[in-house]
Short mmCIF file of all heavy atoms in Angstrom, two decimals:
data_model
loop_
_atom_site.label_atom_id
_atom_site.label_comp_id
_atom_site.label_asym_id
_atom_site.label_seq_id
_atom_site.Cartn_x
_atom_site.Cartn_y
_atom_site.Cartn_z
N PRO D 3 138.06 22.18 187.03
CA PRO D 3 138.86 21.53 186.00
C PRO D 3 138.36 21.72 184.57
O PRO D 3 139.12 21.54 183.62
CB PRO D 3 138.83 20.05 186.41
CG PRO D 3 137.63 19.91 187.28
CD PRO D 3 137.48 21.22 187.98
N HIS D 4 137.09 22.10 184.43
CA HIS D 4 136.52 22.26 183.08
C HIS D 4 136.26 23.74 182.77
O HIS D 4 135.40 24.05 181.94
CB HIS D 4 135.21 21.47 182.98
CG HIS D 4 135.32 20.06 183.46
ND1 HIS D 4 136.01 19.08 182.77
CD2 HIS D 4 134.84 19.47 184.59
CE1 HIS D 4 135.94 17.93 183.44
NE2 HIS D 4 135.24 18.14 184.55
N ARG D 5 137.02 24.63 183.39
CA ARG D 5 136.78 26.06 183.22
C ARG D 5 136.91 26.52 181.77
O ARG D 5 136.27 27.49 181.37
CB ARG D 5 137.71 26.87 184.11
CG ARG D 5 139.19 26.65 183.87
CD ARG D 5 140.03 27.40 184.90
NE ARG D 5 141.45 27.11 184.78
CZ ARG D 5 142.05 26.06 185.31
NH1 ARG D 5 141.32 25.18 186.01
NH2 ARG D 5 143.34 25.86 185.17
N ASP D 6 137.73 25.83 180.98
CA ASP D 6 137.89 26.21 179.58
C ASP D 6 136.62 25.96 178.76
O ASP D 6 136.50 26.44 177.63
CB ASP D 6 139.06 25.46 178.95
CG ASP D 6 140.41 25.89 179.53
OD1 ASP D 6 140.47 26.99 180.12
OD2 ASP D 6 141.38 25.12 179.41
N GLN D 7 135.71 25.21 179.33
CA GLN D 7 134.47 24.90 178.63
C GLN D 7 133.29 25.68 179.21
O GLN D 7 132.14 25.32 178.99
CB GLN D 7 134.20 23.39 178.68
CG GLN D 7 135.29 22.57 178.00
CD GLN D 7 135.00 21.09 178.04
OE1 GLN D 7 133.95 20.64 177.59
NE2 GLN D 7 135.93 20.31 178.58
N VAL D 8 133.60 26.72 179.96
CA VAL D 8 132.56 27.56 180.55
C VAL D 8 132.51 28.90 179.81
O VAL D 8 133.51 29.59 179.68
CB VAL D 8 132.83 27.82 182.05
CG1 VAL D 8 131.77 28.77 182.62
CG2 VAL D 8 132.84 26.51 182.83
N GLU D 9 131.34 29.23 179.33
CA GLU D 9 131.12 30.52 178.65
C GLU D 9 130.36 31.43 179.60
O GLU D 9 129.37 31.03 180.21
CB GLU D 9 130.31 30.31 177.37
CG GLU D 9 129.90 31.61 176.68
CD GLU D 9 128.88 31.39 175.58
OE1 GLU D 9 128.53 30.24 175.29
OE2 GLU D 9 128.42 32.41 175.02
N ILE D 10 130.83 32.67 179.73
CA ILE D 10 130.16 33.64 180.60
C ILE D 10 129.60 34.77 179.75
O ILE D 10 130.29 35.33 178.89
CB ILE D 10 131.12 34.20 181.66
CG1 ILE D 10 131.53 33.09 182.63
CG2 ILE D 10 130.47 35.36 182.42
CD1 ILE D 10 132.49 33.53 183.71
N GLU D 11 128.35 35.08 179.97
CA GLU D 11 127.69 36.18 179.25
C GLU D 11 127.08 37.12 180.27
O GLU D 11 126.34 36.70 181.16
CB GLU D 11 126.61 35.64 178.32
CG GLU D 11 125.91 36.73 177.51
CD GLU D 11 124.90 36.17 176.54
OE1 GLU D 11 124.90 34.94 176.30
OE2 GLU D 11 124.10 36.96 176.02
N PHE D 12 127.38 38.40 180.14
CA PHE D 12 126.86 39.40 181.07
C PHE D 12 125.56 39.99 180.54
O PHE D 12 125.43 40.26 179.35
CB PHE D 12 127.89 40.50 181.30
CG PHE D 12 129.12 40.02 182.03
CD1 PHE D 12 130.24 39.62 181.33
CD2 PHE D 12 129.13 39.94 183.41
CE1 PHE D 12 131.36 39.14 181.98
CE2 PHE D 12 130.25 39.47 184.08
CZ PHE D 12 131.37 39.08 183.37
N LYS D 13 124.61 40.16 181.44
CA LYS D 13 123.30 40.70 181.10
C LYS D 13 123.07 42.02 181.84
O LYS D 13 123.46 42.17 182.99
CB LYS D 13 122.21 39.70 181.49
CG LYS D 13 122.30 38.35 180.78
CD LYS D 13 121.94 38.46 179.32
CE LYS D 13 121.81 37.10 178.67
NZ LYS D 13 121.41 37.20 177.24
N SER D 14 122.40 42.93 181.18
CA SER D 14 122.16 44.25 181.76
C SER D 14 121.04 44.23 182.78
O SER D 14 120.01 43.58 182.60
CB SER D 14 121.79 45.25 180.65
OG SER D 14 122.86 45.40 179.74
N PHE D 15 121.27 44.96 183.87
CA PHE D 15 120.24 45.15 184.91
C PHE D 15 120.53 46.47 185.59
O PHE D 15 121.60 46.65 186.17
CB PHE D 15 120.31 44.00 185.92
CG PHE D 15 119.16 43.98 186.89
CD1 PHE D 15 118.09 43.10 186.73
CD2 PHE D 15 119.13 44.84 187.98
CE1 PHE D 15 117.04 43.09 187.62
CE2 PHE D 15 118.07 44.85 188.88
CZ PHE D 15 117.02 43.96 188.70
N GLU D 16 119.59 47.39 185.52
CA GLU D 16 119.76 48.69 186.20
C GLU D 16 119.07 48.63 187.56
O GLU D 16 117.87 48.42 187.65
CB GLU D 16 119.13 49.80 185.37
CG GLU D 16 119.78 50.03 184.02
CD GLU D 16 118.96 50.98 183.18
OE1 GLU D 16 118.04 50.51 182.47
OE2 GLU D 16 119.21 52.20 183.26
N LEU D 17 119.85 48.82 188.62
CA LEU D 17 119.25 48.84 189.95
C LEU D 17 118.22 49.95 190.06
O LEU D 17 117.20 49.80 190.72
CB LEU D 17 120.34 49.03 191.00
CG LEU D 17 121.21 47.80 191.28
CD1 LEU D 17 122.34 48.18 192.23
CD2 LEU D 17 120.38 46.66 191.86
N ASP D 18 118.49 51.07 189.42
CA ASP D 18 117.55 52.19 189.42
C ASP D 18 117.57 52.86 188.05
O ASP D 18 118.38 53.75 187.79
CB ASP D 18 117.92 53.20 190.51
CG ASP D 18 116.92 54.35 190.60
OD1 ASP D 18 115.92 54.33 189.85
OD2 ASP D 18 117.13 55.26 191.43
N PRO D 19 116.67 52.42 187.16
CA PRO D 19 116.63 53.01 185.81
C PRO D 19 116.37 54.52 185.82
O PRO D 19 116.71 55.21 184.86
CB PRO D 19 115.47 52.27 185.13
CG PRO D 19 115.34 51.00 185.91
CD PRO D 19 115.68 51.36 187.32
N ASN D 20 115.78 55.02 186.90
CA ASN D 20 115.46 56.45 187.00
C ASN D 20 116.51 57.24 187.76
O ASN D 20 116.30 58.42 188.08
CB ASN D 20 114.10 56.63 187.68
CG ASN D 20 112.98 55.98 186.89
OD1 ASN D 20 112.88 56.15 185.68
ND2 ASN D 20 112.12 55.24 187.57
N ALA D 21 117.62 56.61 188.07
CA ALA D 21 118.68 57.30 188.82
C ALA D 21 119.20 58.48 188.01
O ALA D 21 119.37 58.39 186.79
CB ALA D 21 119.82 56.34 189.12
N PRO D 22 119.47 59.59 188.67
CA PRO D 22 120.02 60.75 187.95
C PRO D 22 121.50 60.51 187.65
O PRO D 22 122.13 59.61 188.20
CB PRO D 22 119.86 61.88 188.98
CG PRO D 22 119.96 61.19 190.30
CD PRO D 22 119.29 59.86 190.12
N THR D 23 122.02 61.32 186.75
CA THR D 23 123.46 61.29 186.56
C THR D 23 124.11 61.90 187.80
O THR D 23 123.43 62.50 188.64
CB THR D 23 123.87 62.08 185.30
OG1 THR D 23 123.36 63.42 185.40
CG2 THR D 23 123.33 61.41 184.04
N TYR D 24 125.41 61.75 187.93
CA TYR D 24 126.09 62.18 189.15
C TYR D 24 125.78 63.65 189.45
O TYR D 24 125.94 64.53 188.60
CB TYR D 24 127.59 61.99 188.97
CG TYR D 24 128.40 62.45 190.17
CD1 TYR D 24 128.19 61.90 191.43
CD2 TYR D 24 129.38 63.43 190.02
CE1 TYR D 24 128.92 62.32 192.52
CE2 TYR D 24 130.13 63.85 191.11
CZ TYR D 24 129.90 63.29 192.36
OH TYR D 24 130.63 63.71 193.44
N ASN D 25 125.31 63.88 190.67
CA ASN D 25 124.88 65.24 191.05
C ASN D 25 125.69 65.82 192.21
O ASN D 25 125.28 66.81 192.81
CB ASN D 25 123.40 65.23 191.41
CG ASN D 25 123.07 64.23 192.51
OD1 ASN D 25 123.96 63.72 193.20
ND2 ASN D 25 121.79 63.92 192.67
N GLY D 26 126.82 65.21 192.49
CA GLY D 26 127.67 65.73 193.55
C GLY D 26 127.52 65.02 194.88
O GLY D 26 128.36 65.16 195.77
N LYS D 27 126.43 64.24 195.05
CA LYS D 27 126.25 63.50 196.29
C LYS D 27 127.21 62.32 196.34
O LYS D 27 127.40 61.64 195.34
CB LYS D 27 124.81 62.98 196.40
CG LYS D 27 123.79 64.02 196.80
CD LYS D 27 122.44 63.36 197.06
CE LYS D 27 121.42 64.37 197.54
NZ LYS D 27 120.11 63.73 197.84
N ASN D 28 127.79 62.09 197.52
CA ASN D 28 128.65 60.93 197.64
C ASN D 28 127.80 59.69 197.92
O ASN D 28 126.59 59.78 198.14
CB ASN D 28 129.73 61.12 198.70
CG ASN D 28 129.16 61.30 200.10
OD1 ASN D 28 128.16 60.68 200.47
ND2 ASN D 28 129.80 62.16 200.89
N ILE D 29 128.44 58.53 197.92
CA ILE D 29 127.70 57.27 198.05
C ILE D 29 127.03 57.14 199.41
O ILE D 29 125.96 56.54 199.53
CB ILE D 29 128.63 56.06 197.78
CG1 ILE D 29 127.80 54.77 197.61
CG2 ILE D 29 129.68 55.92 198.86
CD1 ILE D 29 126.90 54.77 196.41
N HIS D 30 127.63 57.72 200.45
CA HIS D 30 127.03 57.66 201.78
C HIS D 30 125.72 58.44 201.80
O HIS D 30 124.71 57.97 202.35
CB HIS D 30 127.99 58.24 202.83
CG HIS D 30 129.34 57.61 202.84
ND1 HIS D 30 129.54 56.25 202.93
CD2 HIS D 30 130.59 58.16 202.76
CE1 HIS D 30 130.83 55.99 202.92
NE2 HIS D 30 131.49 57.13 202.82
N GLU D 31 125.72 59.61 201.20
CA GLU D 31 124.52 60.44 201.14
C GLU D 31 123.43 59.76 200.31
O GLU D 31 122.25 59.77 200.66
CB GLU D 31 124.85 61.81 200.56
CG GLU D 31 125.77 62.65 201.43
CD GLU D 31 126.27 63.91 200.74
OE1 GLU D 31 126.56 63.83 199.51
OE2 GLU D 31 126.36 64.95 201.40
N ALA D 32 123.85 59.17 199.20
CA ALA D 32 122.89 58.50 198.32
C ALA D 32 122.26 57.30 199.02
O ALA D 32 121.04 57.09 198.93
CB ALA D 32 123.59 58.06 197.03
N LEU D 33 123.07 56.53 199.73
CA LEU D 33 122.56 55.36 200.44
C LEU D 33 121.62 55.78 201.57
O LEU D 33 120.57 55.17 201.77
CB LEU D 33 123.73 54.53 200.98
CG LEU D 33 123.37 53.18 201.60
CD1 LEU D 33 122.85 52.24 200.53
CD2 LEU D 33 124.59 52.57 202.29
N ALA D 34 122.01 56.81 202.30
CA ALA D 34 121.18 57.29 203.40
C ALA D 34 119.82 57.76 202.90
O ALA D 34 118.78 57.47 203.50
CB ALA D 34 121.91 58.42 204.13
N ALA D 35 119.81 58.49 201.78
CA ALA D 35 118.56 58.99 201.22
C ALA D 35 117.68 57.85 200.71
O ALA D 35 116.46 57.87 200.87
CB ALA D 35 118.86 59.98 200.09
#
């Protein structure tokens, strides 16, 4: 009922700061590795 008084702020968090840019591997391959 008080949702209009709720402020949401998003904060940055990198799961893997050293992750490469997309290299052609799909998500299944990346997860498996």
Side-chain angles (χ1 to χ4, degrees):
H4 311 289
R5 59 186 175 276
D6 292 340
Q7 298 181 56
V8 177
E9 174 192 356
I10 293 179
E11 182 177 347
F12 293 94
K13 299 289 190 178
S14 298
F15 190 102
E16 296 170 273
L17 285 174
D18 183 2
N20 299 313
T23 55
Y24 179 58
N25 56 14
K27 283 188 177 181
N28 63 37
I29 192 65
H30 305 307
E31 294 170 321
L33 187 67

